Amino acid sequence: MLLDWFAVNARRLPWRDRKGDAYAVWISEIMLQQTTVAAVVPYFERWMASFPNVHALADASLDDVLVHWAGLGYYARARNIKRAADLIVSKYDGRLPSSVEELLTLPGIGRYTAGAIASIAYDVDAPVVDGNVARVLSRLYGLDGDIDSPLVRADLWRLSEGAIPQGRAGDFNQSMMELGALVCSPASPACPICPLQMPCAAHASGDPTALPVRLRKTHWVQVVDCAALLEVERRILLIRRPDSGVWGGLWELPRATLAEGETRKACASRACSERAGLVATIGDLFGEIRHTVMNRRITLAGFAASADHEALKLLARRTDVVLAKPSELADLALASPQRALLNTRLDQGLFA
Ligand code: SF4
């Protein structure tokens, strides 16, 4: 019944047009982590145009990969994809392995992604449990324990595996994910049109939204980052972050996190000295961008700044520093908040 529903209702998505292409499944699944389908589609299409297969990806520079990822966030995903592509070429001749065990040895591939690649690309009877599948299963079977607890997680994987019709894992797993995305939504499940309505425990209870149970609440942390915009000869100073961390390998304005008791201008000044070794004069605030990374609610404040022009030009000899023209910004891997902040300043008429 579920597979019939999927055959009729599956969304047409670019990675589904590449049936049996493990590379496309892999890239789409990683992109879809923490990101909506609508946001992923244009990224996926651009990615496939530039890196149509694992060999093309292995031949690309990390910089180029990050430029294609810029805006999707969680940049460790892109760095892991690049490392995994290098391994797939050197160890598997450019073909993704089909077994869950081998897939799990690749950087950035966990149990869910390994199951998705093995089942969707190779029809291996491997289960998947993502947020959508977990919600559907917990409602279908009436699991009322904390969905984040190890016990319930283990139950979910067991139930997911047990429900796979032999040889149909690819379609089955996708149908469960699709049902969660299109019908069994968190706040308003459309039970009257659901193909699982008959056996569903949560529907029978009369209150399907009571499941799943989640005891852990997000503990939000407020953070203020201060960035300094230094320019010389109509170029903007950008510094590349070290390869690890949330924004590893990306370019940004010199930036620091506000310390307790510190003023925002002092923080921007510290950013210049810590990141660039520069003594800068900090001018006016020109913009603020608010964004969220994991449990952090971040305000990114941008300040105009000035420093000795010769010192700035000397600094550009460093490999992790660039003096970029506004027209060159599109070719640099910048996180979305940094790009938004820069655009704010450019819209105000910097260099106009
Ligand atoms: Fe979800 Fe309702 Fe379908 Fe149950 S019947 S799986 S609660 S949409």
Side-chain angles (χ1 to χ4, degrees):
M1 201 184 288
L2 182 62
L3 291 174
D4 293 341
W5 173 87
F6 182 65
V8 174
N9 293 285
R11 286 168 293 181
R12 181 113 193 251
L13 298 169
W15 44 91
R16 288 187 181 152
D17 289 344
R18 302 170 59 124
K19 205 168 165 43
D21 182 345
Y23 172 65
V25 175
W26 172 40
I27 299 301
S28 62
E29 287 298 338
I30 302 285
M31 284 185 171
L32 285 164
Q33 291 167 13
Q34 323 274 351
T35 313
T36 62
V37 165
V40 163
V41 167
Y43 276 91
F44 178 83
E45 287 175 337
R46 269 198 304 276
W47 184 282
M48 286 299 160
S50 298
F51 316 123
N53 51 48
V54 180
H55 287 283
L57 185 55
D59 287 344
S61 68
L62 178 61
D63 255 5
D64 201 11
V65 171
L66 288 171
V67 166
H68 283 74
W69 198 271
L72 276 174
Y74 300 95
Y75 294 89
R77 293 184 293 172
R79 294 193 299 275
N80 280 333
I81 283 177
K82 172 69 177 128
R83 284 171 53 216
D86 295 344
L87 266 171
I88 293 164
V89 166
S90 64
K91 202 169 164 191
Y92 299 103
D93 201 22
R95 187 175 187 273
L96 270 95
S98 59
S99 79
V100 168
E101 292 72 25
E102 282 178 303
L103 286 163
L104 283 171
T105 65
L106 296 170
I109 295 188
R111 190 173 179 188
Y112 165 77
T113 310
I117 296 169
S119 62
I120 298 171
Y122 299 118
D123 255 330
V124 172
D125 285 345
V128 296
V129 176
D130 68 352
N132 283 326
V133 175
R135 185 171 57 257
V136 172
L137 286 173
S138 73
R139 287 175 175 171
L140 184 62
Y141 292 100
L143 303 181
D144 57 5
D146 177 9
I147 196 157
D148 295 318
S149 71
L151 215 61
V152 174
R153 299 307 295 177
D155 271 353
L156 290 168
W157 280 98
R158 188 178 46 75
L159 290 168
S160 176
E161 185 163 21
I164 295 172
Q166 210 180 2
R168 300 291 309 275
D171 282 345
F172 176 76
N173 286 342
Q174 289 186 87
S175 67
M176 288 291 280
M177 294 184 229
E178 200 77 337
L179 191 78
L182 300 181
V183 177
C184 191
S185 66
S188 49
C191 302
I193 60 161
C194 178
L196 300 181
Q197 188 193 120
M198 280 289 286
C200 180
H203 172 68
S205 79
D207 183 12
T209 57
L211 295 176
V213 173
R214 176 161 275 123
L215 298 180
R216 191 188 62 202
K217 297 275 178 271
T218 305
H219 173 62
W220 291 103
V221 178
Q222 307 288 339
V223 174
V224 176
D225 283 354
C226 301
L229 194 151
L230 291 151
E231 48 99 3
V232 58
E233 295 175 355
R234 303 171 78 81
R235 290 166 183 265
I236 298 162
L237 180 101
L238 297 169
I239 300 186
R240 186 157 59 182
R241 295 190 66 80
D243 275 344
S244 58
V246 178
W247 293 293
L250 298 186
W251 296 93
E252 64 177 16
L253 299 171
R255 175 177 64 87
T257 297
L258 191 70
E260 208 178 322
E262 189 177 38
T263 66
R264 292 187 177 199
K265 283 193 176 187
C267 178
S269 172
R270 180 166 57 81
C272 294
S273 60
E274 284 180 358
R275 299 293 311 283
L278 285 170
V279 178
T281 303
I282 305 300
D284 292 336
L285 176 80
F286 65 81
E288 279 190 1
I289 303 294
R290 290 189 168 78
H291 63 110
T292 302
V293 176
M294 289 177 277
N295 69 332
R296 289 187 297 159
R297 290 195 167 128
I298 302 173
T299 300
L300 174 63
F303 289 86
S306 58
D308 178 73
H309 280 194
E310 288 314 309
L312 280 171
K313 284 195 258 181
L314 271 177
L315 198 64
R317 292 183 183 170
R318 270 172 43 178
T319 53
D320 64 341
V321 171
V322 68
L323 288 172
K325 293 182 199 164
S327 60
E328 293 168 343
L329 294 175
D331 296 326
L332 291 170
L334 291 150
S336 298
Q338 286 278 329
R339 194 175 293 286
L341 188 64
L342 275 165
N343 285 339
T344 302
R345 188 68 184 104
L346 293 169
D347 290 347
Q348 291 165 356
L350 180 72
F351 307 144

